[in-house]
Amino acid sequence: MRTVWQHCHVATMAEGRYAAIEDAAIVTDGGLIEWIGPRAELASGDAARTVDLAGAWVTPGLIDCHTHAVFGGNRSGEFEQRLQGVSYAEIAAQGGGIASTVRATRAASEDQLFASARQRVQALMRDGVTTLEIKSGYGLDLANERKMLRVARRLADELPVAVRATCLAAHALPPEYAGRADDYIAHICDEMLPALAAEGLVDAVDAFCEHLAFSPAQVERLFIKARELGLPVKLHAEQLSSLHGSSLAARYQALSADHLEFMTEEDAIAMAKAGTVAVLLPGAFYFLRETQLPPMDALRRHGVKIALASDLNPGTSPGLSLRLMLNMGCTCFRMTPEEALAGVTVHAATALGLGASHGSLEVGKVADFVAWQIERPADLAYWLGGDLPKRVVRKGLEITH
Ligand code: DI6
Ligand code: FE
């Protein structure tokens, strides 16, 4: 239905940065934006419907471009251990960490995983999220990675949210491959990835490049296979140490490299050239009490696009609010509220390969937006959580929770 949305101000985020139109109007039709601009310039047309947004600030629907929202179990016990001084690496070495979530995820049925993930995704949606990415990576064998990715697809079928599914089979070494990381990478390349891709379950391929996970050489073998299958790549890189995974990702035109606390200026230059988005994850930084900051100045100086995401996962970032990540991006990483907003809209869309259709409010793009009852856009990064009054529109239709 052709609809005119008016009595609002709009942060369009067009061309990758904060840009505002005061007293704006948006015309939507068939799920797309047909017109957007100052209300005074709106031609009197034949809109079937006019909606008064009561002075709201409209932003693109928020995009959480890095989550592990599907998992079994819960690791709050490990949180308590870490508060007593046990490190993340020590917990992993004792068989906890990712391995404990793998056990719980393997033991859970698809329906159980769906039910728990649904609640978490709904929490993100209550914060204005209209698109999110979900990674596998707690199954670590064909049947269980498939189970996770099917849950990601089902969430998109059953909730008014768009989901990109990323295969993160190279997240950790499964116990049955202990001491045989190269064999596991070969198994992913030869069996798992081709099968999951053929089933239409994979939109992108990711890996964890770290001493306690996979080496750059192993990641490169995976990237070569992804390229063969026509799948874009992303990478968890430079979270705990500097292996230059982000430069490797840039060489493979990765959509994004994520975490990046330990990246170098050379990595930033490579990412800028390739157009690889830097996805910063302040929830994990905060929750692990990390002290090494991502090199914000180098990222800015070289023009790397910066996105922000929740990294929602049971071990390092049990974050159910993307708006809270806006605040943490500003408080922990010294981003401006405008940079943070670009990080969960226009740059997050690019990090998912959706830059042409999502992430900003421009003619021809999908009509996903949020009308917030706030005084200024910076309020989105200001409040610590809570439920801000808002109306959420997806594909031109208002959704209710
Ligand atoms: N980095 C992270 O922070 C998460 N995965 C990754 O590669 C941690 C996942 C977990 O601890 O369960
Ligand atoms: Fe992650």
Tab-separated table of all heavy atoms in Angstrom, residues 94-131:
chain	number	residue	atom	x	y	z
A	94	GLN	N	40.345	-26.008	30.197
A	94	GLN	CA	39.721	-27.011	31.080
A	94	GLN	C	38.507	-27.675	30.424
A	94	GLN	O	37.722	-28.353	31.097
A	94	GLN	CB	39.241	-26.345	32.379
A	94	GLN	CG	40.347	-25.807	33.267
A	94	GLN	CD	39.828	-24.761	34.273
A	94	GLN	OE1	38.620	-24.521	34.380
A	94	GLN	NE2	40.746	-24.132	34.990
A	95	GLY	N	38.293	-27.418	29.137
A	95	GLY	CA	37.151	-28.048	28.453
A	95	GLY	C	35.895	-27.203	28.487
A	95	GLY	O	34.831	-27.622	28.033
A	96	GLY	N	36.004	-25.999	29.040
A	96	GLY	CA	34.859	-25.084	29.016
A	96	GLY	C	34.932	-24.220	27.770
A	96	GLY	O	35.451	-24.643	26.736
A	97	GLY	N	34.408	-23.025	27.851
A	97	GLY	CA	34.470	-22.121	26.709
A	97	GLY	C	33.616	-22.617	25.552
A	97	GLY	O	32.558	-23.218	25.753
A	98	ILE	N	34.103	-22.386	24.340
A	98	ILE	CA	33.335	-22.750	23.153
A	98	ILE	C	32.958	-24.230	23.199
A	98	ILE	O	31.834	-24.609	22.861
A	98	ILE	CB	34.145	-22.414	21.871
A	98	ILE	CG1	34.312	-20.891	21.745
A	98	ILE	CG2	33.462	-22.974	20.627
A	98	ILE	CD1	35.189	-20.439	20.581
A	99	ALA	N	33.892	-25.080	23.692
A	99	ALA	CA	33.623	-26.530	23.718
A	99	ALA	C	32.383	-26.855	24.545
A	99	ALA	O	31.616	-27.767	24.198
A	99	ALA	CB	34.841	-27.273	24.269
A	100	SER	N	32.151	-26.125	25.625
A	100	SER	CA	30.975	-26.441	26.448
A	100	SER	C	29.688	-26.056	25.714
A	100	SER	O	28.681	-26.755	25.800
A	100	SER	CB	31.078	-25.784	27.831
A	100	SER	OG	30.660	-24.448	27.782
A	101	THR	N	29.728	-24.958	24.953
A	101	THR	CA	28.545	-24.607	24.166
A	101	THR	C	28.348	-25.591	23.011
A	101	THR	O	27.215	-25.880	22.611
A	101	THR	CB	28.651	-23.159	23.648
A	101	THR	OG1	28.765	-22.290	24.776
A	101	THR	CG2	27.418	-22.750	22.860
A	102	VAL	N	29.441	-26.134	22.490
A	102	VAL	CA	29.307	-27.152	21.432
A	102	VAL	C	28.579	-28.380	21.995
A	102	VAL	O	27.651	-28.901	21.367
A	102	VAL	CB	30.692	-27.524	20.852
A	102	VAL	CG1	30.594	-28.731	19.924
A	102	VAL	CG2	31.295	-26.320	20.111
A	103	ARG	N	28.957	-28.805	23.188
A	103	ARG	CA	28.274	-29.976	23.779
A	103	ARG	C	26.779	-29.692	23.944
A	103	ARG	O	25.929	-30.507	23.578
A	103	ARG	CB	28.894	-30.326	25.146
A	103	ARG	CG	30.273	-30.971	25.053
A	103	ARG	CD	30.732	-31.533	26.408
A	103	ARG	NE	30.970	-30.498	27.417
A	103	ARG	CZ	32.130	-29.824	27.551
A	103	ARG	NH1	33.145	-30.083	26.752
A	103	ARG	NH2	32.267	-28.905	28.490
A	104	ALA	N	26.453	-28.509	24.476
A	104	ALA	CA	25.040	-28.181	24.723
A	104	ALA	C	24.265	-28.009	23.415
A	104	ALA	O	23.082	-28.380	23.327
A	104	ALA	CB	24.944	-26.909	25.567
A	105	THR	N	24.933	-27.482	22.405
A	105	THR	CA	24.251	-27.253	21.120
A	105	THR	C	24.010	-28.583	20.407
A	105	THR	O	22.950	-28.811	19.826
A	105	THR	CB	25.090	-26.299	20.240
A	105	THR	OG1	25.301	-25.086	20.965
A	105	THR	CG2	24.386	-25.992	18.926
A	106	ARG	N	24.993	-29.462	20.476
A	106	ARG	CA	24.812	-30.783	19.860
A	106	ARG	C	23.684	-31.541	20.549
A	106	ARG	O	22.925	-32.268	19.910
A	106	ARG	CB	26.113	-31.589	19.932
A	106	ARG	CG	27.179	-31.093	18.957
A	106	ARG	CD	28.459	-31.905	19.085
A	106	ARG	NE	29.398	-31.554	18.018
A	106	ARG	CZ	30.582	-32.152	17.844
A	106	ARG	NH1	30.972	-33.126	18.665
A	106	ARG	NH2	31.369	-31.793	16.853
A	107	ALA	N	23.557	-31.372	21.863
A	107	ALA	CA	22.537	-32.118	22.627
A	107	ALA	C	21.133	-31.558	22.416
A	107	ALA	O	20.144	-32.240	22.683
A	107	ALA	CB	22.891	-32.074	24.116
A	108	ALA	N	21.036	-30.323	21.928
A	108	ALA	CA	19.710	-29.683	21.789
A	108	ALA	C	19.064	-30.071	20.460
A	108	ALA	O	19.748	-30.263	19.452
A	108	ALA	CB	19.868	-28.162	21.862
A	109	SER	N	17.737	-30.173	20.471
A	109	SER	CA	17.009	-30.429	19.221
A	109	SER	C	16.899	-29.121	18.444
A	109	SER	O	17.084	-28.029	18.999
A	109	SER	CB	15.614	-30.960	19.518
A	109	SER	OG	14.832	-29.913	20.093
A	110	GLU	N	16.545	-29.250	17.171
A	110	GLU	CA	16.360	-28.041	16.361
A	110	GLU	C	15.268	-27.150	16.970
A	110	GLU	O	15.408	-25.925	17.010
A	110	GLU	CB	15.999	-28.449	14.926
A	110	GLU	CG	16.046	-27.293	13.966
A	110	GLU	CD	15.841	-27.735	12.521
A	110	GLU	OE1	16.529	-28.677	12.071
A	110	GLU	OE2	14.986	-27.132	11.856
A	111	ASP	N	14.201	-27.785	17.461
A	111	ASP	CA	13.111	-26.991	18.051
A	111	ASP	C	13.568	-26.268	19.321
A	111	ASP	O	13.177	-25.127	19.574
A	111	ASP	CB	11.908	-27.878	18.379
A	111	ASP	CG	11.133	-28.242	17.126
A	111	ASP	OD1	11.307	-27.558	16.092
A	111	ASP	OD2	10.357	-29.225	17.180
A	112	GLN	N	14.371	-26.950	20.120
A	112	GLN	CA	14.879	-26.295	21.344
A	112	GLN	C	15.779	-25.106	21.000
A	112	GLN	O	15.673	-24.034	21.600
A	112	GLN	CB	15.654	-27.299	22.203
A	112	GLN	CG	14.759	-28.301	22.907
A	112	GLN	CD	15.560	-29.451	23.522
A	112	GLN	OE1	16.638	-29.809	23.041
A	112	GLN	NE2	15.011	-30.045	24.575
A	113	LEU	N	16.646	-25.307	20.016
A	113	LEU	CA	17.522	-24.199	19.614
A	113	LEU	C	16.699	-23.044	19.067
A	113	LEU	O	16.975	-21.873	19.340
A	113	LEU	CB	18.516	-24.654	18.536
A	113	LEU	CG	19.641	-25.576	18.972
A	113	LEU	CD1	20.516	-25.923	17.771
A	113	LEU	CD2	20.491	-24.928	20.062
A	114	PHE	N	15.667	-23.398	18.292
A	114	PHE	CA	14.823	-22.351	17.722
A	114	PHE	C	14.144	-21.550	18.838
A	114	PHE	O	14.134	-20.316	18.813
A	114	PHE	CB	13.771	-22.968	16.785
A	114	PHE	CG	12.805	-21.954	16.246
A	114	PHE	CD1	13.174	-21.136	15.187
A	114	PHE	CD2	11.549	-21.783	16.811
A	114	PHE	CE1	12.304	-20.173	14.695
A	114	PHE	CE2	10.671	-20.823	16.329
A	114	PHE	CZ	11.054	-20.012	15.272
A	115	ALA	N	13.598	-22.249	19.822
A	115	ALA	CA	12.843	-21.560	20.878
A	115	ALA	C	13.747	-20.601	21.662
A	115	ALA	O	13.344	-19.469	21.972
A	115	ALA	CB	12.208	-22.587	21.817
A	116	SER	N	14.961	-21.028	21.970
A	116	SER	CA	15.815	-20.136	22.764
A	116	SER	C	16.352	-18.989	21.915
A	116	SER	O	16.416	-17.838	22.367
A	116	SER	CB	16.951	-20.915	23.438
A	116	SER	OG	17.809	-21.483	22.477
A	117	ALA	N	16.698	-19.273	20.659
A	117	ALA	CA	17.211	-18.208	19.793
A	117	ALA	C	16.121	-17.186	19.494
A	117	ALA	O	16.390	-15.979	19.412
A	117	ALA	CB	17.748	-18.792	18.490
A	118	ARG	N	14.895	-17.663	19.362
A	118	ARG	CA	13.781	-16.766	19.061
A	118	ARG	C	13.660	-15.679	20.133
A	118	ARG	O	13.483	-14.501	19.820
A	118	ARG	CB	12.512	-17.622	19.029
A	118	ARG	CG	11.249	-16.907	18.671
A	118	ARG	CD	10.119	-17.940	18.647
A	118	ARG	NE	9.079	-17.540	17.742
A	118	ARG	CZ	8.076	-16.748	18.065
A	118	ARG	NH1	7.994	-16.281	19.287
A	118	ARG	NH2	7.178	-16.405	17.174
A	119	GLN	N	13.798	-16.089	21.394
A	119	GLN	CA	13.705	-15.092	22.476
A	119	GLN	C	14.816	-14.054	22.382
A	119	GLN	O	14.605	-12.864	22.600
A	119	GLN	CB	13.812	-15.781	23.836
A	119	GLN	CG	12.594	-16.580	24.183
A	119	GLN	CD	12.689	-17.168	25.584
A	119	GLN	OE1	13.628	-16.865	26.320
A	119	GLN	NE2	11.744	-18.005	25.939
A	120	ARG	N	16.002	-14.522	22.052
A	120	ARG	CA	17.130	-13.575	21.968
A	120	ARG	C	16.959	-12.634	20.780
A	120	ARG	O	17.220	-11.428	20.882
A	120	ARG	CB	18.452	-14.353	21.865
A	120	ARG	CG	18.766	-15.162	23.109
A	120	ARG	CD	20.160	-15.755	23.068
A	120	ARG	NE	20.231	-16.994	22.321
A	120	ARG	CZ	20.121	-18.213	22.853
A	120	ARG	NH1	19.918	-18.366	24.152
A	120	ARG	NH2	20.220	-19.280	22.093
A	121	VAL	N	16.514	-13.204	19.654
A	121	VAL	CA	16.329	-12.347	18.471
A	121	VAL	C	15.196	-11.349	18.726
A	121	VAL	O	15.282	-10.183	18.327
A	121	VAL	CB	16.065	-13.213	17.219
A	121	VAL	CG1	15.640	-12.349	16.035
A	121	VAL	CG2	17.322	-14.010	16.872
A	122	GLN	N	14.168	-11.785	19.428
A	122	GLN	CA	13.082	-10.846	19.748
A	122	GLN	C	13.579	-9.717	20.659
A	122	GLN	O	13.131	-8.582	20.540
A	122	GLN	CB	11.908	-11.585	20.389
A	122	GLN	CG	11.097	-12.341	19.329
A	122	GLN	CD	9.937	-13.099	19.924
A	122	GLN	OE1	10.100	-13.763	20.945
A	122	GLN	NE2	8.782	-13.020	19.279
A	123	ALA	N	14.497	-10.039	21.558
A	123	ALA	CA	15.066	-8.979	22.402
A	123	ALA	C	15.788	-7.956	21.528
A	123	ALA	O	15.636	-6.746	21.703
A	123	ALA	CB	16.020	-9.574	23.436
A	124	LEU	N	16.575	-8.429	20.565
A	124	LEU	CA	17.255	-7.492	19.657
A	124	LEU	C	16.241	-6.680	18.864
A	124	LEU	O	16.403	-5.479	18.653
A	124	LEU	CB	18.182	-8.254	18.699
A	124	LEU	CG	19.407	-8.920	19.328
A	124	LEU	CD1	20.135	-9.779	18.296
A	124	LEU	CD2	20.377	-7.876	19.884
A	125	MET	N	15.175	-7.338	18.439
A	125	MET	CA	14.158	-6.638	17.627
A	125	MET	C	13.461	-5.544	18.431
A	125	MET	O	13.088	-4.507	17.881
A	125	MET	CB	13.126	-7.640	17.100
A	125	MET	CG	13.697	-8.582	16.043
A	125	MET	SD	12.523	-9.876	15.615
A	125	MET	CE	11.245	-8.908	14.815
A	126	ARG	N	13.286	-5.771	19.733
A	126	ARG	CA	12.646	-4.741	20.564
A	126	ARG	C	13.495	-3.473	20.621
A	126	ARG	O	13.042	-2.424	21.038
A	126	ARG	CB	12.396	-5.278	21.985
A	126	ARG	CG	11.152	-6.145	22.091
A	126	ARG	CD	10.733	-6.362	23.538
A	126	ARG	NE	11.674	-7.195	24.261
A	126	ARG	CZ	11.696	-8.525	24.226
A	126	ARG	NH1	10.818	-9.184	23.502
A	126	ARG	NH2	12.582	-9.196	24.922
A	127	ASP	N	14.732	-3.594	20.186
A	127	ASP	CA	15.640	-2.455	20.152
A	127	ASP	C	15.703	-1.830	18.762
A	127	ASP	O	16.599	-1.034	18.489
A	127	ASP	CB	17.032	-2.974	20.529
A	127	ASP	CG	17.660	-2.207	21.657
A	127	ASP	OD1	16.979	-1.365	22.248
A	127	ASP	OD2	18.847	-2.460	21.922
A	128	GLY	N	14.813	-2.241	17.868
A	128	GLY	CA	14.775	-1.632	16.547
A	128	GLY	C	15.570	-2.369	15.475
A	128	GLY	O	15.792	-1.836	14.387
A	129	VAL	N	16.005	-3.595	15.770
A	129	VAL	CA	16.758	-4.368	14.778
A	129	VAL	C	15.783	-4.974	13.760
A	129	VAL	O	14.829	-5.644	14.136
A	129	VAL	CB	17.593	-5.478	15.467
A	129	VAL	CG1	18.156	-6.469	14.445
A	129	VAL	CG2	18.727	-4.853	16.275
A	130	THR	N	16.049	-4.723	12.480
A	130	THR	CA	15.216	-5.296	11.411
A	130	THR	C	15.999	-6.284	10.545
A	130	THR	O	15.411	-6.976	9.727
A	130	THR	CB	14.642	-4.178	10.510
A	130	THR	OG1	15.713	-3.330	10.090
A	130	THR	CG2	13.588	-3.351	11.253
A	131	THR	N	17.320	-6.308	10.701
A	131	THR	CA	18.162	-7.260	9.963
A	131	THR	C	19.271	-7.721	10.906
A	131	THR	O	19.835	-6.893	11.637
A	131	THR	CB	18.833	-6.580	8.742
A	131	THR	OG1	17.816	-6.118	7.851
A	131	THR	CG2	19.744	-7.537	7.992
